[in-house]
Amino acid sequence: MAGTKTNAGNFFEDFTYGQVIHHATPRTVTDGDVALYTALYGSRFAVQSADTFAKALGYPRAPLDDMLTFHVVFGKTTPDISLNAIANLGYADCRFLKPVYPGDTLSSTSEVIGLKENSNGETGTVYVRSTGRNQHDEIVLEYCRWVMVRKRTKGSPAPEAVVPKLPERVDPQDLGRAVPPLDISKYDFALSGSPHRWEDYEPGEKIDHVDGMTLEEAEHQTATRLYQNTAKVHFNQHTESKGRFGKRIVYGGVVISLVRALSYNGLGNAFHLAAINGGRHVAPTFAGDTIYAWSEVLEKAEIPDRKDIGALRVRLVGVKNQDCASLPLKTPAGEYAEGVVLDLDTWLLLPRRV
Amino acid sequence: MAGTKTNAGNFFEDFTYGQVIHHATPRTVTDGDVALYTALYGSRFAVQSADTFAKALGYPRAPLDDMLTFHVVFGKTTPDISLNAIANLGYADCRFLKPVYPGDTLSSTSEVIGLKENSNGETGTVYVRSTGRNQHDEIVLEYCRWVMVRKRTKGSPAPEAVVPKLPERVDPQDLGRAVPPLDISKYDFALSGSPHRWEDYEPGEKIDHVDGMTLEEAEHQTATRLYQNTAKVHFNQHTESKGRFGKRIVYGGVVISLVRALSYNGLGNAFHLAAINGGRHVAPTFAGDTIYAWSEVLEKAEIPDRKDIGALRVRLVGVKNQDCASLPLKTPAGEYAEGVVLDLDTWLLLPRRV
Amino acid sequence: MAGTKTNAGNFFEDFTYGQVIHHATPRTVTDGDVALYTALYGSRFAVQSADTFAKALGYPRAPLDDMLTFHVVFGKTTPDISLNAIANLGYADCRFLKPVYPGDTLSSTSEVIGLKENSNGETGTVYVRSTGRNQHDEIVLEYCRWVMVRKRTKGSPAPEAVVPKLPERVDPQDLGRAVPPLDISKYDFALSGSPHRWEDYEPGEKIDHVDGMTLEEAEHQTATRLYQNTAKVHFNQHTESKGRFGKRIVYGGVVISLVRALSYNGLGNAFHLAAINGGRHVAPTFAGDTIYAWSEVLEKAEIPDRKDIGALRVRLVGVKNQDCASLPLKTPAGEYAEGVVLDLDTWLLLPRRV
């Protein structure tokens, strides 16, 4: 009866190895998006908060929060990649390559870099490398992601399995491209809110970020729509009430942004998220959950030819409905501990001692 | 005891035929309003989303979503027209006449074009033509609306009844004035998210827009305040808890915006709402309701002297708490079916085949 | 186990008389913040709403709502001043000194102007004068505030008590510095929404602002994060569920902004909040509360050398979950009446008769 002009999303059979998908709806990001981002997460990193602070260092103005760029680029991929996804399995090799400023227009493409049917014949894993570009066709962001996608027809012919080799972590020499050369002598450590430089952190160090933030339905829906992310599970209580959890699921990116904002308290000068090496949404979160965070410094690296900034490889852990005084992560049996919702392996950049 | 400087709103006796009301509080619309509009409804039409997309076609930059313009112009009329209204009875002859851009300042006037007391002597119908203007005093929007308004005093003298003749539909030759001449060869159908042009739709075609969106109190209140709409029923749970429904009523314009945003999935190139021929809020909606939408193409028209765009007359139907697979509208007895909340008769513009 | 790089906030012992604290995270305010402010409170004062209206009078463009400036400046002080505060005891001598426009960058400092240990040896009162500056290092706002702060160690040595002398009210000659000389002949009283000038109000006049607005969790959290205010009690249901009230407390500034926005209905031309002479958050407010407001004109003053604007000293009263028809304030015994949540002593500026 109804026409067939609506998007039913792609099924596993619709993806082919090497295929490039141009995602819909380019998006001009503005001061309005920046204000909303602040209002939704309360982030306090000085570089992104104040034009004056950013300009003193060498930026033309305050750049967007890196996760805002990520969400906008990611949101465009959802109607094509994950509308029929059962699970978001992982991320790798996510690198921020150019700063993004209000007024820039972002668009996204994805290349299928791997395909593997599951043995049940009902689903398969699709690997894509997604790329965000600005209005000058410059790449601002690249990341790999793999999702489990339903097949349209059980038992339909399967493509040859290709599983891409993904780096365990981004090489430090590839970090920092989204940061112009900075005059770190102008970095004001009183205004940034923390005296701690790159040199002050050491591998093994763990930081309880202390604060907690309770999520509301109106907040995560507003955030997710801002990114024009269309995944149904976040918005439709009518169907979700009959679903697996009986309620809407918070977009995992909202949890990443919250954890990143909470991490300011202890990592106040880690102003740039340069890369995501890998990540897992360990458990779903829902409205009413209170999110806490803690971090572990995994590695410390110089960036070739950069004396202004240094890199810390940091595991950002998100936990719900319990504080992080005990730094919860895994059980003795190696399972994620109760309450852990996010385990994100990142490279963060901090100013170095002049 | 209290002073008399507050606005008690106009009663039926306060309106006179031919009266022109200058509504308060002009409003400069900005990138901030645009971002909030996206965050509140998740709209994805490319022309309004990306400066690059709009400029390639011939706009100076991305124009505002038409319904954002409508809401701002409409919001200003509420303190004078509908503060004492019992019911919003209908709309007609709503035409968008100039594009609106961030930085423009909108103001509203209304002319009383009809008055008719009801036989109960307690209420009457007031017909107004409301006009939105920009800072250059150019008309950007015009529409007729009629509301049932309380009388201050039952039985007070009634004015001579005047019922204006309103067009059943806007004539196609009056459409498209808010769209500059477009270079449709630059319209990118991958980026717009749909391959379907004006030629691809036919009268009688029905489209289930599939997706549903659940409304929250904080969302509709935030939207309605953004438009500086002051109607009490949307904001005051303390009084509404004792009212007809026991809860706050969602501003009907929020439902229109949601339905319009949902209609992207199936009408992805219907980038401009050129006119509203008529409309009815069939039933109230409340926080917690999930809104779905479907459309029916009623008519197809060329616009004189325009080869770039064509017009579709589309009935947009909003439904709550049930999906639209069965395209619910009316019962065999001719009543609106259970769940239908909006029946809006619109003209939408789409690119034509070059 | 966890590192010590997080901010534990200052305890009473950490403050010294004369100390100047530079607060973190400067903030560029934008059109995005302005749109959010409108969406959160629905304010309708024409000067702040429309560039055209403001420019006709002599502003370069519409200035920010004064309370938005206040919240941003105030928010920065919370991590240093009030993280370990038990109570926000009062405000005095708050003066708005320069207009703030989108694009300005605000930062805050505080000077400790008084210290007094309480007799219990567990807490003390800290008095600060906080100053907000723009990117040109011009002072845009100054206010005094005193808070009760926990001691780190009961019985630790107390500083010499210093209690500053604070003015009972700001002197009228110090008002209006944030308002450029205005051409009041261009003030359009139809567009402003009220015919009442400064001359039309008299001391003793009381105004019931009629309207009520119900607060939602997502709204007050969004507002408070917008100001980068980090006070935990507003955001963390997990801890607050075990706290004094069992729920999150709304930031008092949200109530001030709501009451100020509601006061438009009766004080529509009181476009500038020039000073806060004193104020008290009489009772906490929570999501679900409906806020009403009424005002009393306490005093009327000319401003030296200004014929464009005059000052009204107005008591703004916020009330929850009951309307203000009876103008509730105090009981015969002198206690605040049930329902009163805010008692704010302000100077408001209005246009004078030309």
Side-chain angles (χ1 to χ4, degrees):
Chain A
M1 188 139 88
T4 57
K5 293 191 171 78
T6 51
N7 174 29
N10 289 311
F11 290 88
F12 184 69
E13 294 95 325
D14 300 318
F15 295 97
T16 57
Y17 180 77
Q19 175 188 10
V20 174
I21 302 168
H22 290 81
H23 304 298
T25 314
R27 173 87 149 76
T28 303
V29 290
T30 68
D31 284 334
D33 299 295
V34 170
L36 264 163
Y37 193 89
T38 302
L40 289 163
Y41 309 110
S43 190
R44 288 184 285 149
F45 295 99
V47 168
Q48 285 77 19
S49 180
D51 285 340
T52 49
F53 196 95
K55 283 164 100 163
L57 298 177
Y59 286 93
R61 61 179 293 186
L64 258 65
D65 191 287
D66 305 297
M67 285 305 299
L68 174 52
T69 298
F70 179 89
H71 295 319
V72 170
V73 169
F74 180 93
K76 307 198 170 323
T77 72
T78 58
D80 299 313
I81 304 298
S82 45
L83 211 59
N84 299 308
I86 298 159
N88 198 18
L89 298 171
Y91 299 101
D93 200 26
C94 172
R95 288 158 292 121
F96 292 85
L97 297 169
K98 281 265 171 193
V100 178
Y101 301 103
D104 284 352
T105 298
L106 300 178
S107 57
S108 306
T109 58
S110 295
E111 182 184 354
V112 178
I113 59 169
L115 288 167
K116 187 172 185 300
E117 198 189 41
N118 289 324
S119 55
N120 59 13
E122 290 178 3
T123 58
T125 300
V126 178
Y127 298 80
V128 294
R129 177 179 302 277
S130 295
T131 303
R133 286 183 174 79
N134 65 19
Q135 69 276 20
H136 307 300
D137 212 35
E138 297 166 332
I139 298 179
V140 299
L141 170 65
E142 252 188 11
Y143 65 90
C144 297
R145 176 188 176 211
W146 52 108
V147 291
M148 193 192 299
V149 178
R150 236 178 281 277
K151 290 185 73 174
R152 184 176 283 108
T153 313
K154 180 173 172 166
S156 64
E160 194 189 351
V162 183
V163 175
K165 236 193 198 149
L166 295 171
E168 189 237 340
R169 82 194 213 311
V170 173
D171 194 294
Q173 75 181 5
D174 292 329
L175 300 174
R177 298 191 186 173
V179 182
L182 302 185
D183 180 355
I184 286 297
S185 70
K186 300 285 167 42
Y187 195 103
D188 184 323
F189 290 85
L191 286 182
S192 74
S194 163
H196 305 296
R197 283 118 169 122
W198 177 73
E199 288 84 353
D200 299 326
Y201 294 85
E202 290 304 330
E205 181 168 356
K206 293 172 181 174
I207 303 170
D208 171 8
H209 298 303
V210 178
D211 307 311
M213 185 77 73
T214 304
L215 279 164
E216 298 294 323
E217 300 281 13
E219 292 169 355
H220 78 82
Q221 292 197 145
T222 298
T224 309
R225 279 187 302 247
L226 184 68
Y227 317 135
Q228 297 171 312
N229 179 325
T230 61
K232 298 154 197 248
V233 294
H234 312 314
F235 299 117
N236 189 328
Q237 181 57 25
H238 178 243
T239 52
E240 293 310 308
S241 67
K242 304 158 203 151
R244 193 156 39 134
F245 302 107
K247 48 192 171 181
R248 284 161 278 180
I249 303 171
V250 174
Y251 162 47
V254 166
V255 177
I256 298 178
S257 280
L258 262 185
V259 166
R260 168 85 177 130
L262 292 169
S263 77
Y264 170 85
N265 192 359
L267 285 165
N269 291 321
F271 67 90
H272 178 50
L273 174 66
I276 300 175
N277 298 304
R280 231 185 111 180
H281 296 294
V282 175
T285 57
F286 307 101
D289 284 345
T290 300
I291 305 297
Y292 291 87
W294 69 274
S295 292
E296 177 179 6
V297 180
L298 300 174
E299 191 182 342
K300 197 170 163 178
E302 297 203 41
I303 301 172
D305 300 321
R306 302 277 313 231
K307 294 293 169 205
D308 51 349
I309 46 176
L312 294 182
R313 188 174 167 198
V314 173
R315 178 203 291 265
L316 293 176
V317 182
V319 175
K320 73 175 182 185
N321 303 330
Q322 57 179 93
D323 68 42
C324 290
S326 67
L327 308 172
L329 186 63
K330 299 212 173 164
T331 64
E335 306 278 300
Y336 278 103
E338 175 72 20
V340 175
V341 293
L342 178 74
D343 182 11
L344 201 71
D345 181 343
T346 66
W347 279 114
L348 304 177
L349 303 194
L350 292 87
R352 296 180 60 167
R353 213 168 292 280
V354 182
Chain B
M1 190 139 91
T4 56
K5 292 190 171 79
T6 50
N7 175 27
N10 289 311
F11 291 88
F12 184 69
E13 294 94 325
D14 299 319
F15 295 97
T16 56
Y17 180 75
Q19 175 187 11
V20 175
I21 302 168
H22 289 82
H23 304 298
T25 315
R27 173 87 150 75
T28 303
V29 290
T30 69
D31 283 334
D33 298 296
V34 170
L36 263 163
Y37 193 88
T38 303
L40 288 164
Y41 309 110
S43 190
R44 290 183 285 148
F45 296 99
V47 169
Q48 285 77 20
S49 181
D51 285 340
T52 49
F53 196 95
K55 283 163 98 163
L57 298 178
Y59 285 92
R61 61 178 295 186
L64 257 65
D65 190 286
D66 306 297
M67 284 306 300
L68 175 51
T69 298
F70 180 89
H71 295 319
V72 170
V73 170
F74 180 93
K76 306 199 170 324
T77 71
T78 56
D80 297 314
I81 305 298
S82 47
L83 212 60
N84 299 308
I86 297 159
N88 198 19
L89 299 171
Y91 298 102
D93 200 26
C94 172
R95 289 159 291 122
F96 292 84
L97 298 169
K98 281 264 171 194
V100 178
Y101 300 103
D104 284 351
T105 298
L106 300 177
S107 57
S108 307
T109 57
S110 295
E111 181 183 352
V112 178
I113 58 169
L115 287 168
K116 185 171 186 302
E117 198 188 42
N118 288 324
S119 56
N120 62 12
E122 290 178 3
T123 58
T125 300
V126 179
Y127 297 80
V128 294
R129 177 179 302 277
S130 295
T131 304
R133 286 184 174 79
N134 67 17
Q135 69 277 18
H136 307 301
D137 213 34
E138 298 166 332
I139 297 178
V140 300
L141 169 65
E142 253 187 10
Y143 64 90
C144 297
R145 175 188 177 212
W146 52 107
V147 291
M148 193 193 299
V149 178
R150 234 180 282 277
K151 291 185 72 175
R152 184 178 281 109
T153 312
K154 180 172 171 166
S156 63
E160 193 189 351
V162 183
V163 176
K165 235 194 200 145
L166 296 170
E168 190 238 342
R169 81 196 215 308
V170 173
D171 194 294
Q173 74 181 6
D174 292 330
L175 299 174
R177 300 193 183 171
V179 181
L182 301 186
D183 180 355
I184 286 296
S185 71
K186 301 283 168 43
Y187 195 102
D188 183 325
F189 290 85
L191 286 181
S192 75
S194 164
H196 305 296
R197 283 116 168 123
W198 175 73
E199 289 82 357
D200 299 327
Y201 293 86
E202 290 304 330
E205 181 169 355
K206 294 173 181 175
I207 303 169
D208 172 6
H209 299 302
V210 178
D211 307 309
M213 185 76 73
T214 304
L215 280 164
E216 298 294 323
E217 299 280 13
E219 292 170 354
H220 78 82
Q221 292 197 145
T222 298
T224 309
R225 280 188 300 248
L226 183 68
Y227 318 135
Q228 298 172 312
N229 179 326
T230 62
K232 298 155 199 247
V233 294
H234 310 314
F235 299 118
N236 188 329
Q237 182 57 26
H238 178 244
T239 52
E240 292 310 308
S241 67
K242 303 160 204 151
R244 194 157 37 134
F245 301 106
K247 47 193 170 180
R248 285 161 277 179
I249 302 170
V250 173
Y251 161 48
V254 166
V255 178
I256 298 178
S257 280
L258 262 184
V259 165
R260 168 84 178 132
L262 291 167
S263 77
Y264 170 85
N265 192 359
L267 284 165
N269 291 321
F271 67 90
H272 176 52
L273 174 67
I276 300 176
N277 299 306
R280 229 183 113 180
H281 296 295
V282 175
T285 57
F286 307 102
D289 284 344
T290 300
I291 305 297
Y292 291 88
W294 69 273
S295 291
E296 178 179 5
V297 181
L298 301 174
E299 189 181 345
K300 199 169 160 177
E302 297 202 41
I303 301 171
D305 300 322
R306 303 280 308 236
K307 294 292 169 206
D308 51 349
I309 46 176
L312 294 183
R313 188 174 166 196
V314 174
R315 179 203 289 266
L316 293 175
V317 182
V319 175
K320 71 176 182 184
N321 304 329
Q322 57 179 92
D323 68 42
C324 290
S326 68
L327 308 172
L329 186 64
K330 297 211 174 165
T331 64
E335 305 278 301
Y336 278 103
E338 176 72 19
V340 176
V341 294
L342 178 73
D343 183 9
L344 201 70
D345 181 342
T346 66
W347 279 114
L348 304 178
L349 303 194
L350 291 88
R352 296 178 63 165
R353 215 169 291 280
V354 181
Chain C
M1 188 140 92
T4 57
K5 293 190 172 77
T6 50
N7 173 29
N10 288 312
F11 290 88
F12 184 69
E13 295 93 327
D14 299 320
F15 294 97
T16 56
Y17 180 76
Q19 177 187 8
V20 175
I21 302 169
H22 289 81
H23 304 297
T25 314
R27 172 88 151 74
T28 303
V29 290
T30 70
D31 283 334
D33 298 296
V34 170
L36 264 163
Y37 193 88
T38 301
L40 289 163
Y41 309 111
S43 189
R44 290 184 284 149
F45 295 99
V47 168
Q48 285 78 19
S49 180
D51 285 341
T52 48
F53 195 95
K55 283 163 99 163
L57 298 178
Y59 285 92
R61 61 179 294 185
L64 258 65
D65 190 288
D66 306 296
M67 284 306 299
L68 174 52
T69 299
F70 179 88
H71 295 320
V72 170
V73 169
F74 181 92
K76 309 201 167 320
T77 71
T78 57
D80 298 314
I81 304 298
S82 46
L83 213 58
N84 299 308
I86 299 161
N88 198 18
L89 298 172
Y91 299 102
D93 200 26
C94 172
R95 287 160 292 121
F96 292 85
L97 298 169
K98 281 263 172 195
V100 178
Y101 300 103
D104 285 351
T105 298
L106 301 177
S107 59
S108 306
T109 57
S110 294
E111 181 184 352
V112 178
I113 58 169
L115 288 168
K116 186 169 184 304
E117 197 188 44
N118 288 325
S119 54
N120 61 12
E122 289 177 5
T123 58
T125 301
V126 178
Y127 297 80
V128 294
R129 177 179 300 277
S130 294
T131 303
R133 286 183 175 80
N134 67 17
Q135 70 276 20
H136 307 300
D137 213 36
E138 297 166 333
I139 298 179
V140 299
L141 170 64
E142 252 188 10
Y143 64 90
C144 296
R145 175 189 177 212
W146 51 109
V147 290
M148 195 192 299
V149 178
R150 236 178 281 278
K151 291 185 73 174
R152 183 176 282 108
T153 313
K154 180 174 173 166
S156 65
E160 194 189 350
V162 182
V163 176
K165 235 193 197 146
L166 295 171
E168 190 237 343
R169 83 194 212 310
V170 173
D171 193 295
Q173 76 181 4
D174 292 331
L175 299 174
R177 297 191 186 173
V179 181
L182 301 186
D183 180 355
I184 285 296
S185 70
K186 301 286 168 39
Y187 196 102
D188 184 323
F189 289 85
L191 286 181
S192 73
S194 165
H196 305 296
R197 284 117 168 122
W198 176 73
E199 288 84 355
D200 299 325
Y201 294 86
E202 290 304 329
E205 181 169 355
K206 293 172 181 174
I207 303 169
D208 172 7
H209 298 303
V210 178
D211 306 311
M213 184 77 73
T214 304
L215 280 164
E216 297 294 324
E217 299 281 14
E219 293 169 353
H220 78 81
Q221 291 197 146
T222 298
T224 309
R225 280 187 301 248
L226 183 69
Y227 318 134
Q228 297 172 311
N229 179 327
T230 62
K232 298 154 199 247
V233 293
H234 311 315
F235 299 117
N236 189 326
Q237 181 57 26
H238 178 244
T239 52
E240 292 310 308
S241 67
K242 303 159 203 151
R244 195 158 34 136
F245 301 106
K247 47 192 172 180
R248 286 161 277 179
I249 303 170
V250 173
Y251 162 47
V254 166
V255 178
I256 298 179
S257 280
L258 263 185
V259 166
R260 169 85 177 130
L262 291 169
S263 77
Y264 170 86
N265 192 358
L267 285 164
N269 291 320
F271 68 89
H272 176 51
L273 174 66
I276 299 175
N277 298 304
R280 232 185 112 179
H281 296 295
V282 174
T285 58
F286 307 101
D289 285 344
T290 300
I291 305 297
Y292 291 87
W294 68 274
S295 292
E296 178 180 5
V297 181
L298 301 174
E299 190 182 342
K300 198 170 164 178
E302 297 202 40
I303 302 172
D305 301 321
R306 303 281 306 236
K307 294 293 168 202
D308 52 348
I309 45 176
L312 293 183
R313 189 174 167 197
V314 173
R315 178 203 290 265
L316 293 175
V317 181
V319 175
K320 73 176 181 184
N321 304 330
Q322 56 178 94
D323 68 41
C324 290
S326 68
L327 308 173
L329 186 63
K330 298 211 173 166
T331 63
E335 305 278 300
Y336 277 104
E338 178 71 21
V340 176
V341 293
L342 177 74
D343 182 10
L344 201 70
D345 181 343
T346 66
W347 279 114
L348 304 178
L349 303 194
L350 291 89
R352 295 178 62 165
R353 216 169 289 280
V354 182

